[in-house]
Amino acid sequence: MQANGAGQDRDSELSCRNGAQNGESSSTGAAHSNGLLSVTNNGNTVINNNNNNGVSAQPASNNTNSTSDANSGVKKKKRLSQSEEDVIRLIGQHLHDLGLNQTVDLLMQESGCRLEHPSATKFRSHVMEGEWDKAESDLNELKALMHSPSAIVRMKFLLLQQKYLEYLEDGKVLEALQVLRAELTPLKYNTERIHILSGYLMCSHAEDLRTKAEWEGKGTASRTKLLDKLQTYLPPSVMLPPRRLQTLLKQAVELQRERCLYHNTKLDNGLDSVSLLLDHACSRKQFPCYTQQILTEHCNEVWFCKFSNDGTKLATGSKDTTVIVWHVDMETQQMKLMKTLEGHAYGVSYLAWSPDDAYLIACGPDDCSELWLWNVQTGELRTKMSQSHEDSLTSVAWNPDGKRFVTGGQRGQFYQCDLDGNLLDSWEGVRVQCLWCLSDGRTVLASDTHQRIRGYNFEDLTDRNIVQEDHPIMSFTVSRNGRLALLNVATQGVHLWDLQDRVLVRKYQGVTQGFYTIHSCFGGHNEDFIASGSEDHKVYIWHRRSELPIAELTGHTRTVNCVSWNPVLPGLLASASDDGTVRIWGPAPFLDVQDAEGLNGMNMNSTAVCLVVRLYEFKVFRSTHSLTVY
């Protein structure tokens, strides 16, 4: 299908085409030039007479007039373009893999195309039949058709390796040793692999050999795998890459999913799970744009919310000095109050789950010098840490080992501590705004009052600049793979940075961000989406690749301080607001009226459905809040 190689061996292709047009057939009992074995009956080639185009194919005849008429009809056909030939070959390969050989034979004869070069057909047959000497001889014919003749050595090595392993499995140790010494070694290619192969001589039985060599064993499976590797060295004009049509279809499906703004589910990569008859498109109703539940147990501003790492719990912190831990029903996706943790005199403005979700650390606002570490299961306070009353501990991050954490604040505190609150290390003079520990267990990212994010290593006491902004960084979070950072920047909104390349990737539009601390998050399937609170009372959602929001969620009546996306349930989102509520967002709970009326085949009463929808809207949106989605 590629332009390179497609023009190779053009003379032989034209020769093949002329032969097909003149009614010539391949020799009896041999492989056709299209790569299929002919079907014979008493020495005559037989073609399926059931032609869908209404033309019946007959065995070869000596009738001169009929042959002349057929030739004149073929000559009137327009010449196929290169892309049309490629499509026919792709279809032919797919039909051949399905075992529809006679159909492929007819397709190639009628189109005048060739599935693959005759030398490639012989080579395929000899490899699958394990005729290694003949397959090695075929390489000499293929060498002239290849872009890189030096690849013959690599192909020969793969052939001999299979030959060697099959001899060993059959117990023919002397023959295998002869292949190793007289054929593989003289190639002077991949000597390291030859040493490994020689070690297989010590295998006591065939099962031991297959295990150590990670090999399927002698037979169709291993030879097909070998042929797939060998085909990578041949241009597509000679032999198509294996299962090329399926590969192209999978790529098309993946591209459509990537371009779908609302695709938020993990689907099977196989083609059986999708329809090839329609373009992929996810409905907005499958996206977390609809209020599923409103949590009203806090009695003051809710400053923070965070789902646990396993997605089964949600923690919310409030100005009312409490932390509420909610249980997430993974089936109904409803929140149920699990525990209320009290005693935070300054209110709770930040929360961090330990890697195993056993502990929860709570921090307060700027004037708070205390850090509280809770045992989530028992509800007991394990550690109440305070180094000095002059400290400001407003942010915290867990080390991946779950045994240490770092904390700090804008008054210049930057500590590393153990679970008992013991000070392990400290970094002087860093005014910390937000913290994050990378997965390497050594690097701590900290945003400071110099409008930057720096990386700090407590082991060797080194630091380096990673991100530099022109305005204060109020908060940031990092993607699971540690590559991307999402920043909430004062008066600028939400910015996406590549931490590895240290470049600003994208600025997201729409959010209102002053000098309040607002927390955004990655979320959805494969973290393809970004959500953030806003001072205009909305929750904004963007696809990671799009600067414009794909959804604006309304319902809160004051600033939305924090959002958290469930890491296990991609359709579940939480938002915390100064209005004292936490909203849980999910897919549409019911079909709308138009959808209901469209389901005639399901015998659904549209009036009844409409009534149910209206009752739900009255219950959830009783404050006359609306939803705007782009």
Side-chain angles (χ1 to χ4, degrees), residues 537-590:
H537 314 167
K538 298 178 182 178
V539 175
Y540 286 83
I541 301 178
W542 301 267
H543 195 286
R544 204 166 67 188
R545 295 190 307 273
S546 175
E547 294 184 357
L548 296 176
I550 61 173
E552 296 178 16
L553 313 185
T554 61
H556 287 294
T557 57
R558 293 182 64 188
T559 295
V560 180
N561 299 304
C562 182
V563 291
S564 180
W565 214 305
N566 191 292
V568 177
L569 302 172
L572 196 61
L573 178 71
S575 60
S577 170
D578 281 349
D579 64 11
T581 68
V582 176
R583 284 191 172 240
I584 307 301
W585 308 88
F590 299 107

Side-chain angles (χ1 to χ4, degrees), residues 304-309 315 323 348-355 357-363 371-374 376 395-399 405-406 435-436:
F304 200 82
C305 62
K306 185 69 174 178
F307 281 106
S308 60
N309 298 292
V323 174
V348 180
S349 61
Y350 195 85
L351 296 165
W353 290 92
S354 63
D357 294 327
Y359 297 102
L360 184 66
I361 295 180
C363 296
L371 175 148
W372 299 51
L373 192 156
W374 295 91
V376 178
S395 184
V396 67
W398 284 88
N399 189 286
F405 60 86
V406 291
L435 291 166
W436 194 274

Side-chain angles (χ1 to χ4, degrees), residues 19-161:
Q21 290 172 349
N22 292 328
E24 297 175 3
S25 61
S26 58
S27 58
T28 302
H32 279 218
S33 60
N34 60 23
L36 302 174
L37 296 178
S38 61
V39 181
T40 60
N41 183 9
N42 298 328
N44 295 323
T45 301
V46 179
I47 301 176
N48 190 349
N49 290 331
N50 296 324
N51 191 314
N52 291 332
N53 295 325
V55 180
S56 59
Q58 300 291 342
S61 171
N62 292 326
N63 190 324
T64 305
N65 293 332
S66 62
T67 303
S68 176
D69 293 340
N71 285 339
S72 61
V74 171
K75 290 178 182 177
K76 293 179 182 178
K77 293 180 180 179
K78 80 178 184 73
R79 179 180 176 84
L80 297 176
S81 66
Q82 184 61 54
S83 62
E84 290 170 334
E85 288 188 17
D86 291 343
V87 171
I88 289 173
R89 291 182 66 203
L90 290 171
I91 295 172
Q93 183 194 47
H94 183 66
L95 294 174
H96 174 50
D97 292 342
L98 295 176
L100 304 176
N101 295 342
Q102 291 187 26
T103 305
V104 179
D105 198 20
L106 180 60
L107 174 64
M108 293 302 156
Q109 285 191 352
E110 187 174 357
S111 65
C113 296
R114 184 178 63 196
L115 190 58
E116 60 186 17
H117 195 279
S119 298
T121 302
K122 286 196 305 178
F123 181 62
R124 178 195 300 277
S125 176
H126 292 151
V127 169
M128 294 305 297
E129 293 171 7
E131 297 182 359
W132 307 117
D133 293 338
K134 292 182 179 179
E136 190 174 344
S137 177
D138 294 335
L139 289 178
N140 295 326
E141 297 182 30
L142 295 172
K143 185 175 182 179
L145 304 174
M146 297 174 60
H147 297 316
S148 176
S150 61
I152 289 293
V153 176
R154 295 191 286 274
M155 296 178 71
K156 188 173 182 180
F157 184 89
L158 292 173
L159 281 174
L160 293 174
Q161 177 180 251

Side-chain angles (χ1 to χ4, degrees), residues 245-255 269-271 276:
L245 182 58
Q246 291 95 317
T247 299
L248 291 174
L249 292 174
K250 286 181 180 178
Q251 291 172 351
V253 170
E254 290 172 2
L255 180 61
N269 290 328
L271 295 177
L276 299 178

Side-chain angles (χ1 to χ4, degrees), residues 363-381:
C363 296
D366 291 344
D367 53 351
C368 178
S369 61
E370 298 175 348
L371 175 148
W372 299 51
L373 192 156
W374 295 91
N375 184 314
V376 178
Q377 290 300 322
T378 64
E380 296 177 352
L381 180 65

Side-chain angles (χ1 to χ4, degrees), residues 308-323:
S308 60
N309 298 292
D310 62 5
T312 63
K313 292 178 284 293
L314 172 69
T316 57
S318 170
K319 186 179 179 180
D320 66 9
T321 73
T322 67
V323 174

Side-chain angles (χ1 to χ4, degrees), residues 326-606:
W326 309 82
H327 173 71
V328 181
D329 189 313
M330 304 302 278
E331 295 296 328
T332 64
Q333 301 187 11
Q334 292 289 300
M335 309 292 134
K336 296 180 180 178
L337 196 150
M338 179 177 165
K339 281 184 175 63
T340 300
L341 311 176
E342 300 177 337
H344 298 268
Y346 297 89
V348 180
S349 61
Y350 195 85
L351 296 165
W353 290 92
S354 63
D356 61 0
D357 294 327
Y359 297 102
L360 184 66
I361 295 180
C363 296
D366 291 344
D367 53 351
C368 178
S369 61
E370 298 175 348
L371 175 148
W372 299 51
L373 192 156
W374 295 91
N375 184 314
V376 178
Q377 290 300 322
T378 64
E380 296 177 352
L381 180 65
R382 169 163 178 171
T383 303
K384 182 179 179 181
M385 175 190 143
S386 178
Q387 295 295 321
S388 169
H389 291 296
E390 298 179 356
D391 284 356
S392 174
L393 303 181
T394 58
S395 184
V396 67
W398 284 88
N399 189 286
D401 63 11
K403 299 177 181 179
R404 297 170 289 166
F405 60 86
V406 291
T407 183
Q410 293 192 38
R411 295 178 183 174
Q413 290 75 42
F414 190 9
Y415 304 136
Q416 182 172 226
C417 309
D418 63 15
L419 296 183
D420 295 320
N422 299 315
L423 187 63
L424 302 178
D425 297 288
S426 65
W427 207 292
E428 298 296 332
V430 180
R431 298 180 182 273
V432 174
Q433 180 70 31
C434 192
L435 291 166
W436 194 274
C437 290
L438 295 184
S439 58
D440 61 9
R442 298 185 303 274
T443 306
V444 179
L445 301 183
S447 60
D448 56 30
T449 54
H450 295 284
Q451 306 168 1
R452 64 189 180 183
I453 295 177
R454 292 179 65 82
Y456 297 87
N457 189 317
F458 277 95
E459 295 181 1
D460 57 17
L461 299 180
T462 59
D463 60 324
R464 58 194 175 95
N465 205 42
I466 297 178
V467 169
Q468 182 66 60
E469 282 278 1
D470 296 328
H471 297 79
I473 301 171
M474 308 307 292
S475 68
F476 74 93
T477 186
V478 178
S479 61
R480 280 196 295 263
N481 60 12
R483 179 69 184 265
L484 300 173
L486 195 60
L487 283 60
N488 281 77
V489 184
T491 72
Q492 303 298 302
V494 182
H495 292 180
L496 182 67
W497 279 79
D498 187 314
L499 297 177
Q500 181 174 315
D501 296 336
R502 303 183 190 181
V503 295
L504 177 62
V505 177
R506 196 159 285 114
K507 295 181 179 180
Y508 297 101
Q509 302 178 23
V511 67
T512 302
Q513 169 87 54
F515 287 90
Y516 289 111
T517 299
I518 292 177
H519 300 272
S520 57
C521 69
F522 293 96
H525 173 60
N526 200 32
E527 292 192 325
D528 286 333
F529 302 97
I530 285 168
S532 178
S534 178
E535 293 179 18
D536 62 2
H537 314 167
K538 298 178 182 178
V539 175
Y540 286 83
I541 301 178
W542 301 267
H543 195 286
R544 204 166 67 188
R545 295 190 307 273
S546 175
E547 294 184 357
L548 296 176
I550 61 173
E552 296 178 16
L553 313 185
T554 61
H556 287 294
T557 57
R558 293 182 64 188
T559 295
V560 180
N561 299 304
C562 182
V563 291
S564 180
W565 214 305
N566 191 292
V568 177
L569 302 172
L572 196 61
L573 178 71
S575 60
S577 170
D578 281 349
D579 64 11
T581 68
V582 176
R583 284 191 172 240
I584 307 301
W585 308 88
F590 299 107
L591 299 175
D592 60 26
V593 178
Q594 291 181 349
D595 287 339
E597 291 176 347
L599 296 175
N600 296 327
M602 298 181 64
N603 295 321
M604 295 184 65
N605 188 309
S606 61

